[in-house]
Amino acid sequence: MEPTKTDIVVLGGGPGGYAAAFYAADLGKRVILVEKDPRLGGVCLNRGCIPSKALLYAAHTMSAARESAHRGITFTEPAIDTTKLRAWKESILTRLSGGIAQLAKMRGVQVIQGRGYFEESRMLRAETPQGQQLLTYDQAIIAVGSKSAMPKAFDLGNPRIVTSREALEVEDVPESLLVIGGGYIGMELGTVYATLGSKVVLVEALDTILAGADPDLARPIAAYAKKAFKETRLKTKVAKMATSGRQIKVEFDLDGQKKEELYDRVLVAVGRAPNAENLGLENTRVSFDDRGFIHVNQKQQTTDPAIYAIGDIVGGVLLAHKAAKEARIAVEVIVGEDSAFVNVTIPAVVFTDPEVAWCGLTEAEARAKGIEVKVAKFPWAASGRALSFDRPDGLTKLIIEPDTERVLGVGIVGVGAGELISEGVLAVEMGATAKDLSLAVHPHPTLSETLMEAAEAFYGHATHTLVRKK
Amino acid sequence: MDLKLPNLGEGADSGTVVNLFVKEGDQIAKDQPVLELENEKAVATIPSTFAGTVSRIYIKPGDKLTVGQRILTLNEGAAQLSTPTSVSKPRQALRVVEAEPGPEKAPCETESTPAPEETPPSRPSRFPPPAAPSIRKLARDLGIDLTRVHGSERGGRIVLDDVRGYIQRLQRLAAQPRTAQAKPAPQAAKPPPEEIDFSKWGPVSKQPVSPLRAVIARRMSENWNVVPHVTQFEDADITGLMDMRKKYAGVYEENGARLTLTSFALKAVVNTLKQHPILNSSLDEASQEIVLKQYFHIGVAVNTEAGLIVPVIRDVDNKGLLDLSRELEDLARKARERKVSAEELKGGTFTISNQGGIGGAHFTPIVNKPEVAILGLGRGAMRPVVREGKIEPRLMLPMGLSYDHRVIDGGVAARFILDLAKAFGGFKEEDVKL
Ligand SMILES: Cc1cc2nc3c(=O)[nH]c(=O)nc-3n(C[C@H](O)[C@H](O)[C@H](O)COP(=O)(O)OP(=O)(O)OC[C@H]3O[C@@H](n4cnc5c(N)ncnc54)[C@H](O)[C@@H]3O)c2cc1C
């Protein structure tokens, strides 16, 4: 078999992989993108970011309808047609992945559907439905992503024990649902199912949900969970699960005490594991850690000079926009630019109700590291905009370096926090000061004003809140 | 907490990783060596500036590192959360703004390029200097360290004008001394080296030039080109000295030291330097002054597998033969194991290169700038010598003293080497015995 020769092979068509392939093509490289799924877009598009946000939106219309009763508008109880819901969600995914395929075509990026396997440092074998194909290249970029972690003890082969992948299919709405894991995936999917009507119990081994977020930002989410979930159990571990007829018998370890319960469905959301198996990495010089995350330096170079790696497969924060940033860096390094992942601000967003978002330094981190900071806060109860849509349960805060007044971090909880955080990212990336934020006019009435007012609060003169002088 | 490559001193800003001592998951202490870096002068071990657990390593042997580059990430304190859960993941979003060890924390001092009107390193912030991403990218492209640039905007934010001003200042500064001192015009560009295919004439094998070899090559030609060399020969009578060495070698051995000719040479040289301080001086080319040093730090050339390394023994005048013997052995071992720190290679006032262990008679060593003289010792051999009218067999040590003729005149050098020969012959029992 005669191998096909190209400049760059990208393995994996997720937000890391397709971003890399497109950028490299835009810079004049000949690129082949190898993706095993028939649809491009990776986890994010097919079974992650996009479907979860679509379902959250659908669920939100239901909770919004329920909450409008006290405003004098009532609806009858909604009926849920999961087939239609699924079809609507599918249509979004089809449209998006079709768009990506289209963009690939227009750029001249050749897409090969097939599983990729490294025969050696500079040769990849693609197992396509039409047979094997060998590719040789100057550089390969690995972007094979991650999958839901499934601890051995939970893996009974019982279809009632699911991961986010199956949960996003919404086959039905179970009576009772146990969510294991209080990270963002568990919280987001717990929110979807609780709104659709499941009795949700969420367990978390740590003493808080959303462990990365500052406690004051996580508090409104905990309050929401208290109301919407049947129960949230912290410091609780699932010791064992067993099939019990059409249900799952779950044994909990509550701070040393044992407890048994039955559930119709169990969602395991305890983290992600890298897709490191069956890649043929042993035929290259690529090295990885004991969990399978590939080692890279800040130029996204692996220990094999011909191979780069980006996205979830290299660990760190497992988010789509981190993968896309790393894609840019890898390609720039390949074309000879001096690019590196240094001082890059990666924002985090949790799409719960309300949303939580933060970027840069958090208050908890500053405290843990003994970094002296000033924290300026603006509670949304003082925002006209937040009150006008009945959601004063929000908070905007700035983490500020005292001497320079530079904004080191921004944290927001509240409806639409995910959209608002970008101003924070820009402020942190630009090295903006609290003064900059307070001097820039923000339109009224909008939630973005909370950033300006938090900055004004730092100087002791926010219009809509009284700052006690210290 | 990220560990980054600190300043290496000696104006060096990069090196190649030759050895990595830690792996992910290792618990390491503050100051524990984490890697060996082959840089311009030698191999230096880079210690950790914090304690903690290594959570990630970004480099591998063979990588070229530049100052400020991330080596590894340490989690301070106890092990992190147990489950591999995405719950704890968003926290890492903060790798962004982690404090960089400021320049003041670097273990070696920089002897770097002139620092024109720079922001003093006392910058209050623990964070990288505030600047827009576009400015940071520009600085990276141009190789400009933004911590040295003064930011004119609110909060010390660096804007394009600041970078422009900084570059202009650097340029002015670079041009100044040249015009002021009416130095010769910059050398005409060197013609590209000629390509020769040696395999035309027979089989060959090839070796890469190691960074150390490249430095030796550069420094040797620099010294050879700049310093007008003269070499003065003489033989020293070391018959008595070697008798004494034989007599006391055992006692020294019991005290954990090997008494060698080089230990004696150190003593003899320093005693003679005291009589001829000009040989313990340097020519300050910038100020056009001769700097006479009141300390005696002697460099000793050590032959290692990788090439020549010259560690320096400090304050030789204040040390006895026993201490010197111990220190010599220690330094030679460190040099061979390539563990000599950059610090230990600096500040020499005179160098001794003893090839007696290998053999051969006189040779003409190259002066190790900014020192002004170097002593090359060959192998001592029995020779017929005429003493008081009779021919006697004596053990004679061949010496070659190369010196910088800009600073030292021939007469001075001749007197020095005669006094040195006398010093070799003049060791007394009480100098040696413990
Ligand atoms: C439920 C859920 C919600 C999420 N929500 C968000 C969110 O809101 N925001 C956010 O930023 N991130 C979110 N994420 C995370 C996000 O999906 C990932 O960070 C992102 O997809 C990583 O992109 P990637 O390119 O590294 O890999 P992936 O998206 O995992 O893509 C890897 C691709 O490689 C392919 N592949 C693997 N092995 C091979 C092989 N051998 N040969 C060929 N192809 C192969 C796979 O089929 C896949 O298409 C979410 C994840 C989940 C599970």
Side-chain angles (χ1 to χ4, degrees):
Chain A
M1 187 181 0
E2 195 48 33
T4 310
K5 165 103 189 72
T6 185
D7 295 338
I8 296 177
V9 164
V10 179
L11 186 60
Y18 74 74
F22 290 4
Y23 190 34
D26 289 344
L27 298 183
K29 293 283 184 182
R30 286 179 305 157
V31 184
I32 296 179
L33 175 62
V34 180
E35 165 59 57
K36 69 176 160 60
D37 279 1
R39 271 200 325 213
L40 291 175
V43 167
C44 182
L45 198 157
N46 295 299
R47 38 189 190 275
C49 332
I50 302 298
S52 60
K53 266 80 261 183
L55 294 180
L56 278 161
Y57 169 73
H60 176 72
T61 54
M62 288 175 63
S63 44
R66 278 180 203 134
E67 280 157 16
S68 68
H70 82 273
R71 298 191 285 267
I73 300 169
T74 48
F75 298 88
T76 48
E77 222 7 64
I80 302 162
D81 177 345
T82 50
T83 312
K84 219 163 168 179
L85 177 59
R86 227 172 16 248
W88 168 74
K89 181 206 74 178
E90 276 306 307
S91 72
I92 301 169
L93 311 189
T94 308
R95 181 166 168 184
L96 280 172
S97 61
I100 294 170
Q102 192 61 31
L103 288 170
K105 201 168 185 178
M106 292 189 303
R107 286 182 159 90
V109 170
Q110 187 193 342
V111 178
I112 294 180
Q113 191 210 324
R115 160 175 279 284
Y117 184 90
F118 285 97
E119 291 291 346
E120 51 189 79
S121 288
R122 287 175 189 270
M123 191 189 293
L124 187 92
R125 174 162 51 82
E127 299 157 4
T128 78
Q130 294 78 40
Q132 313 254 355
Q133 200 170 337
L134 287 180
L135 307 174
T136 60
Y137 46 80
D138 294 333
Q139 285 94 11
I141 301 177
I142 302 180
V144 292
S146 65
K147 55 178 179 289
S148 301
M150 180 56 96
K152 277 255 152 42
F154 301 168
D155 195 2
L156 309 182
N158 185 324
R160 293 188 172 83
I161 300 174
V162 301
T163 67
S164 60
R165 180 180 188 141
E166 295 80 25
L168 287 169
E169 289 308 315
V170 227
E171 288 300 338
D172 56 6
V173 178
E175 262 290 295
S176 63
L177 170 69
L178 173 70
V179 178
I180 308 177
Y184 81 94
I185 294 179
M187 288 304 297
E188 288 182 10
L189 287 172
T191 300
V192 169
Y193 277 91
T195 316
L196 293 180
S198 295
K199 287 197 181 63
V200 173
V201 172
L202 183 137
V203 294
E204 165 58 53
L206 301 176
D207 60 358
T208 170
I209 54 164
L210 301 180
D214 278 345
D216 55 351
L217 298 180
R219 206 167 294 131
I221 316 305
Y224 167 84
K226 198 163 184 240
K227 201 172 65 186
F229 296 172
K230 187 167 160 233
E231 213 186 320
T232 306
R233 292 182 197 148
L234 301 177
K235 290 195 270 185
T236 305
K237 286 198 185 99
V238 171
K240 250 204 331 251
M241 290 198 275
T243 304
S244 170
R246 319 188 62 171
Q247 291 187 302
I248 305 291
K249 189 163 79 188
V250 183
E251 189 183 305
F252 296 96
D253 187 346
L254 280 150
D255 247 347
Q257 272 167 283
K258 297 254 180 290
K259 180 171 179 170
E260 266 184 17
E261 283 169 358
L262 288 171
Y263 288 93
D264 296 323
R265 188 79 37 91
V266 176
L267 167 61
V268 181
V270 296
R272 309 276 302 168
N275 286 327
E277 313 88 40
N278 301 324
L279 282 179
L281 290 183
E282 60 282 3
N283 302 328
T284 70
R285 286 160 64 190
V286 173
S287 66
F288 36 84
D289 68 15
D290 45 13
R291 286 163 57 194
F293 289 113
I294 293 179
H295 289 144
V296 288
N297 61 14
Q298 54 187 3
K299 294 177 174 295
Q300 307 303 136
Q301 291 162 320
T302 68
T303 41
D304 188 315
I307 302 180
Y308 291 66
I310 58 172
D312 283 7
I313 191 67
V314 303
V317 256
L318 305 190
L319 291 173
H321 42 277
K322 188 218 68 163
K325 179 70 186 178
E326 290 177 340
R328 297 240 147 207
I329 289 162
V331 171
E332 283 169 2
V333 172
I334 287 174
V335 301
E337 272 185 53
D338 181 8
S339 194
F341 200 112
V342 277
N343 299 326
V344 179
T345 303
I346 300 292
V349 181
V350 184
F351 292 85
T352 37
D353 185 13
E355 295 173 358
V356 191
W358 66 94
C359 69
L361 187 70
T362 66
E363 195 177 349
E365 193 192 10
R367 195 159 302 138
K369 291 194 174 152
I371 302 171
E372 199 202 332
V373 293
K374 288 223 166 97
V375 179
K377 298 187 185 184
F378 186 81
W380 287 20
S383 156
R385 184 68 188 121
L387 284 169
S388 74
F389 58 78
D390 230 357
R391 289 302 295 269
D393 56 337
L395 172 74
T396 298
K397 68 174 184 178
L398 307 175
I399 314 298
I400 297 166
E401 183 174 50
D403 292 342
T404 60
E405 302 184 350
R406 177 172 166 194
V407 179
L408 298 174
V410 177
I412 306 175
V413 59
V415 171
E419 304 291 333
L420 288 173
I421 196 63
S422 301
E423 183 175 348
V425 176
L426 190 64
V428 171
E429 281 279 354
M430 293 292 294
T433 61
K435 188 114 252 158
D436 294 324
L437 277 185
S438 77
L439 288 178
V441 175
H442 288 62
H444 182 72
T446 63
L447 294 171
S448 68
E449 287 173 288
T450 64
L451 283 157
M452 174 182 72
E453 296 230 32
E456 287 173 346
F458 174 71
Y459 296 105
H461 47 67
T463 309
H464 295 103
T465 174
L466 192 67
V467 186
R468 256 176 248 114
K469 294 262 155 50
K470 283 155 215 152
Chain B
M1 195 69 86
D2 283 349
L3 176 66
K4 296 181 180 164
L5 187 63
N7 273 332
L8 304 167
E10 293 284 298
D13 60 358
S14 66
T16 307
V17 181
V18 286
N19 247 324
L20 192 59
F21 301 131
V22 297
K23 55 182 189 318
E24 286 177 0
D26 278 3
Q27 196 83 38
I28 62 174
K30 185 169 180 294
D31 298 328
Q32 182 176 334
V34 295
L35 59 81
E36 247 179 2
L37 194 74
E38 179 160 28
N39 73 9
E40 308 253 292
K41 274 223 146 170
V43 166
T45 43
I46 305 296
S48 176
T49 35
F50 328 97
T53 311
V54 180
S55 64
R56 198 155 166 198
I57 296 180
Y58 305 94
I59 52 120
K60 58 186 185 304
D63 279 0
K64 196 164 158 130
L65 293 191
T66 47
V67 168
Q69 190 170 332
R70 193 162 56 156
I71 297 170
L72 48 79
T73 301
L74 283 179
N75 283 333
E76 286 155 296
Q80 289 272 299
L81 311 170
S82 48
T83 33
T85 141
S86 59
V87 174
S88 63
K89 279 301 167 204
R91 179 171 302 176
Q92 293 187 18
L94 311 163
R95 72 162 135 171
V96 215
V97 279
E98 276 178 357
E100 245 180 335
E104 64 279 7
K105 278 191 222 143
C108 325
E109 100 260 21
T110 351
E111 168 204 278
S112 68
T113 38
E117 302 169 48
E118 287 170 354
T119 324
S122 65
R123 178 185 286 281
S125 181
R126 295 173 59 171
F127 297 91
S134 52
I135 299 295
R136 282 183 269 145
K137 182 152 177 52
L138 177 77
R140 205 183 157 81
D141 284 345
L142 297 177
I144 286 178
D145 173 6
L146 284 180
T147 57
R148 293 171 174 275
V149 180
H150 173 77
S152 61
E153 292 288 301
R154 207 161 29 227
R157 195 156 73 93
I158 299 165
V159 294
L160 186 57
D161 255 358
D162 300 326
V163 178
R164 192 179 288 138
Y166 178 76
I167 295 172
Q168 283 168 354
R169 269 202 302 280
L170 281 183
Q171 215 170 25
R172 262 203 311 280
L173 222 93
Q176 260 166 20
R178 198 163 289 160
T179 45
Q181 292 171 27
K183 279 233 183 112
Q187 288 185 349
K190 267 203 274 179
E194 190 189 347
E195 265 181 58
I196 310 175
D197 179 9
F198 293 97
S199 61
K200 266 196 317 218
W201 300 291
V204 295
S205 72
K206 291 185 179 182
Q207 264 178 13
V209 171
S210 72
L212 180 61
R213 174 58 50 203
V215 170
I216 294 173
R218 200 194 68 220
R219 303 218 28 180
M220 286 302 171
S221 35
E222 212 175 274
N223 293 344
W224 182 254
N225 284 331
V226 174
V227 176
H229 278 75
V230 179
T231 306
Q232 170 72 58
F233 297 124
E234 175 60 334
D235 295 328
D237 186 337
I238 52 167
T239 320
L241 185 156
M242 289 315 264
D243 285 346
M244 251 181 304
R245 191 191 85 100
K246 210 179 270 163
K247 182 164 164 196
Y248 288 102
V251 195
Y252 274 68
E253 201 90 33
E254 283 158 27
N255 284 279
R258 245 164 44 100
L259 182 59
T260 62
L261 181 84
T262 312
S263 322
F264 285 101
L266 281 166
K267 267 307 203 217
V269 160
V270 166
N271 291 338
T272 318
L273 283 174
K274 283 188 175 162
Q275 301 166 42
H276 305 275
I278 191 74
L279 279 99
N280 200 47
S281 75
S282 282
L283 177 64
D284 184 336
E285 292 171 42
S287 65
Q288 288 297 318
E289 284 172 322
I290 290 174
V291 183
L292 296 149
K293 289 158 226 165
Q294 283 156 23
Y295 49 84
F296 300 88
H297 300 340
I298 309 297
V300 179
V302 179
N303 217 351
T304 74
E305 262 171 41
L308 174 72
I309 293 183
V310 188
V312 174
I313 301 189
R314 316 259 140 198
D315 300 312
V316 173
D317 53 327
N318 294 334
K319 290 176 183 160
L321 272 175
L322 181 64
D323 284 342
L324 289 174
S325 303
R326 281 193 185 132
E327 207 172 317
L328 255 178
E329 214 177 331
D330 199 42
L331 268 183
R333 181 183 44 74
K334 269 164 89 181
R336 284 194 195 99
E337 292 170 7
R338 318 200 63 189
K339 298 252 164 68
V340 182
S341 72
E343 215 37 56
E344 284 168 313
L345 297 172
K346 283 196 233 168
T349 59
F350 185 96
T351 297
I352 299 176
S353 172
N354 181 3
Q355 300 195 350
I358 304 167
H362 299 97
F363 64 99
T364 63
I366 295 179
V367 171
N368 191 12
K369 219 168 58 97
E371 294 168 20
V372 292
I374 180 168
L375 178 68
L377 300 177
R379 157 154 297 168
M382 294 305 285
R383 300 258 183 252
V385 175
V386 181
R387 292 176 94 210
E388 291 160 13
K390 276 193 282 183
I391 297 178
E392 278 181 45
R394 301 293 297 177
L395 185 58
M396 302 304 285
L397 175 68
M399 305 192 290
L401 174 80
S402 296
Y403 56 91
D404 184 340
H405 208 346
R406 293 176 303 175
V407 180
I408 297 164
D409 293 332
V412 177
R415 265 177 233 121
F416 175 86
I417 205 162
L418 289 176
D419 284 337
L420 181 60
K422 218 181 285 166
F424 269 109
F427 279 98
K428 301 201 184 60
E429 291 268 346
E430 56 262 39
D431 299 329
V432 188
K433 112 171 150 234
L434 296 181

